[in-house]
Amino acid sequence: MAKPIVAIVGRPNVGKSTFFNQIGKKRVSIVEDFPGVTRDRIYMDAEWLNHQFTMIDTGGIELENDGEGKILASMRQQARLAIEEADVIVFMVDGRTGLTHDDEEIAHILRNTRKPVIVAVNKIDSPKQHMDVFEFYNLGLGDPIGISAANALNVGDLLDEIVKNFPKDLDDDIEHDEIRIAVIGRPNVGKSSLVNALLGQERVIVSDVAGTTRDAIDTQFEDGDTHFTLIDTAGMRRKAKIDMPVERYSVMRSLRAVDRADVVLMVLSAPEGVTEQDKKIAGYAHESGKGCIIVVNKWDLIKKDDKTSLRYTEDIRDELGFLQYAPVLYASALTKQRVHRVVDLVKYVAEQQAMRVQTSVLNQLVLDAVSINPPPSHKGKQLKIYFMTQADIKPPKFLIFVNDPELMHFSYLRFLENRLRESFGFEGTPLKLIVRGRK
Ligand code: GDP
Ligand code: GDP
């Protein structure tokens, strides 16, 4: 399901990250927290009144600029990025400082979009200060909402307003008996070459259909009787329309593509390996519960001996620790080496994602697990696992009912997850393990 994207723009120090963190606290669904994934993030999945959305702090994306008028240049880019990619834009200003020239410049850009823009006047810490909000009517962007991100005042009102502005038909045209593939990775790793190599292999290309996002063109093809849709991450075939370093720009494109995909092909370039940007996007795919295959492209450029791929795999497992389950494919879009394996692997991962395990089988697994490795205890109280059941697929989600969730240790959850994988595979898919207490 495609989730709306909300972008926060604004000058430095108006309180964007403070607001971002407040939303984080309001997040309802808590699954496993994987270390290393959640730190330093520029995006966050949030939920408000049953609406799920992805919040992006455009200030956290390091945009390049050329020194002069640094802040303003970077804010202009933030605004353009938001206009291109977000469904709702929150323009945050500082009620204590009052309206500044930079704010007006940004408003000027934002007034030229038809996307909803909500002005949030932050640092309105008490009702006394409410008068400070009015000045921001001058921005010409509608009714400003006064909030205090630090004290969580009116943050709910702002969220209500955000949710009200979500597009209504985001996932109307998504067909469900098909496998949707997003090909993601940094510029120049070979994504378009790989896509062309894939599509060049005597596959029936059904049609180019307009995707859910305004300007994405998806490609459908068939293999046997399986339907596939390759989600366009634009820039793949078109040049980015806005003047912005392609690398930063590609982040939002990729997040959007991941949202719409069943299986993500994370493309790396063999000579370059894994970068920070790769980690962030892979982390997003992981947290979104998508299937994932790591394609190490340009394998033709690597001098190999019999241990090269083994060493490579170890490095990748080190760098992308949370993606232990993702198969790694060494390929070359240029020589077509192993390109023919991609589609079968995608099918396989999609099946793994949709696998259901019967409750009786799961409980045998729990019994075995507990006898090998007794559950942890704390202050004389031991964790008891009553039973486990699979609540969902894509990704497989397991509910574990226990006497006291506080007693469940992260390492024990890991152990259970490993047991599940040893017994059933679940290759290429993250698993959600959710612990529930029972009175
Ligand atoms: P960002 O650069 O826009 O992400 O701003 P930050 O979130 O880092 O906040 C900048 C400063 O403003 C920090 O010192 C915050 O503590 C402060 N701040 C943020 N929200 C509020 C608020 O609601 N009221 C007040 N008084 N200060 C705030
Ligand atoms: P994208 O920006 O990720 O879509 O990357 P492109 O598909 O445009 O490829 C970037 C460059 O890498 C081009 O010059 C390609 O010819 C080259 N390239 C792509 N795949 C391979 C490969 O498997 N081996 C080699 N040697 N070069 C490749």
Side-chain angles (χ1 to χ4, degrees):
M1 194 169 82
K3 274 180 294 188
I5 289 183
V6 179
I8 320 177
V9 299
R11 287 186 294 113
N13 286 319
V14 295
K16 295 184 297 298
S17 7
T18 308
F19 175 65
F20 204 64
N21 291 333
Q22 276 296 346
I23 308 278
K25 286 187 205 155
K26 289 191 184 299
R27 189 159 59 145
V28 185
S29 51
I30 295 168
V31 206
E32 272 180 276
D33 239 356
F34 283 81
V37 182
T38 42
R39 241 178 322 120
D40 177 34
R41 58 178 168 187
I42 52 167
Y43 58 82
M44 174 165 53
D45 281 336
E47 188 178 304
W48 182 250
L49 305 176
N50 284 325
H51 291 274
Q52 298 198 345
F53 57 97
T54 300
M55 191 106 185
I56 291 172
D57 177 4
T58 58
I61 303 177
E62 285 160 39
L63 298 161
E64 269 165 24
N65 45 55
D66 41 18
E68 228 181 316
K70 223 173 159 198
I71 291 176
L72 189 56
S74 140
M75 281 181 59
R76 282 205 182 99
Q77 289 192 329
Q78 281 182 43
R80 291 199 188 103
L81 189 58
I83 287 173
E84 275 294 309
E85 296 300 336
D87 297 295
V88 177
I89 300 162
V90 175
F91 178 26
M92 189 166 285
V93 293
D94 186 330
R96 295 218 162 161
T97 322
L99 187 55
T100 71
H101 179 67
D102 286 356
D103 292 337
E104 283 170 355
E105 290 279 331
I106 299 314
H108 183 66
I109 299 172
L110 293 178
R111 275 197 303 270
N112 287 321
T113 174
R114 276 187 302 180
K115 300 234 171 122
V117 177
I118 301 165
V119 177
V121 184
N122 190 34
K123 310 197 187 176
I124 304 299
D125 298 336
S126 76
K128 274 206 310 277
Q129 289 164 282
H130 192 71
M131 296 297 282
D132 296 338
V133 172
F134 299 124
E135 152 180 42
F136 292 94
Y137 272 101
N138 290 320
L139 293 172
L141 288 165
D143 298 337
I145 299 177
I147 66 162
S148 169
N151 305 315
L153 290 176
N154 269 352
V155 167
D157 290 15
L158 178 55
L159 285 167
D160 286 349
E161 196 56 31
I162 291 172
V163 163
K164 241 191 263 170
N165 280 286
F166 284 160
K168 301 278 178 282
D169 54 357
L170 257 183
D171 48 11
D172 270 3
D173 56 347
I174 292 175
E175 282 185 29
H176 288 279
D177 51 353
E178 59 174 5
I179 303 174
R180 285 162 297 168
I181 310 170
V183 182
I184 61 171
R186 289 176 307 113
N188 284 320
V189 294
K191 295 181 298 300
S192 14
S193 308
L194 190 68
V195 165
N196 289 336
L198 272 174
L199 295 175
Q201 293 186 332
E202 297 166 51
R203 247 170 269 285
V204 190
I205 300 179
V206 183
S207 68
D208 275 358
V209 290
T212 43
T213 32
R214 208 170 1 90
D215 53 2
I217 307 291
D218 297 345
T219 306
Q220 300 188 326
F221 65 94
E222 288 168 3
D223 181 87
D225 41 20
T226 313
H227 297 264
F228 295 89
T229 298
L230 262 172
I231 296 168
D232 183 41
T233 17
M236 243 157 58
R237 268 167 269 165
R238 274 175 303 286
K239 271 184 69 176
K241 270 187 294 185
I242 55 176
D243 186 20
M244 187 178 289
V246 194
E247 174 133 0
R248 327 287 174 182
Y249 182 69
S250 68
V251 172
M252 280 207 190
R253 290 275 186 207
S254 302
L255 298 189
R256 172 76 87 180
V258 168
D259 271 343
R260 297 177 52 224
D262 299 306
V263 178
V264 169
L265 292 183
M266 174 88 220
V267 185
L268 306 174
S269 149
E272 288 158 286
V274 181
T275 69
E276 284 306 309
Q277 202 79 274
D278 291 329
K279 284 187 200 174
K280 281 184 183 161
I281 295 175
Y284 185 75
H286 170 78
E287 290 180 52
S288 312
K290 306 297 181 173
C292 187
I293 296 165
I294 299 169
V295 181
V296 183
N297 190 37
K298 307 198 188 182
W299 195 234
D300 57 289
L301 294 179
I302 299 294
K303 261 211 173 125
K304 293 173 268 289
D305 60 40
D306 57 339
K307 294 206 179 57
T308 311
S309 65
L310 208 68
R311 274 200 304 270
Y312 245 83
T313 307
E314 274 174 13
D315 284 351
I316 291 173
R317 297 293 183 217
D318 270 359
E319 295 281 344
L320 299 173
F322 47 90
L323 281 184
Q324 298 296 327
Y325 50 80
V328 181
L329 188 71
Y330 294 93
S332 166
L334 190 73
T335 68
K336 312 273 193 294
Q337 190 192 13
R338 296 203 190 87
V339 169
H340 66 282
R341 298 257 299 270
V342 171
V343 168
D344 281 342
L345 205 51
V346 167
K347 255 193 227 180
Y348 173 69
V349 166
E351 279 162 18
Q352 298 282 301
Q353 271 209 299
M355 184 160 56
R356 278 187 196 276
V357 183
Q358 282 182 348
T359 305
S360 58
V361 177
L362 286 174
N363 287 305
Q364 191 55 50
L365 180 137
V366 170
L367 281 178
D368 293 346
V370 165
S371 70
I372 299 171
N373 182 3
S377 44
H378 185 64
K379 291 186 180 155
K381 194 174 172 195
Q382 192 179 29
L383 176 74
K384 278 204 193 84
I385 302 177
Y386 296 124
F387 79 109
M388 165 148 70
T389 187
Q390 185 172 352
D392 210 350
I393 57 169
K394 292 186 182 183
K397 178 165 132 189
F398 299 91
L399 297 181
I400 304 170
F401 291 87
V402 303
N403 56 339
D404 180 356
E406 302 268 301
L407 294 169
M408 180 59 92
H409 207 265
F410 177 74
S411 59
Y412 204 76
L413 267 185
R414 252 300 146 81
F415 165 68
L416 289 175
E417 176 173 343
N418 289 339
R419 297 297 297 176
L420 282 166
R421 291 188 184 281
E422 279 161 28
S423 306
F424 310 111
F426 288 121
E427 244 182 293
T429 177
L431 301 179
K432 307 272 182 200
L433 273 63
I434 294 162
V435 182
R436 290 273 158 79
R438 228 185 169 199
K439 296 280 136 55

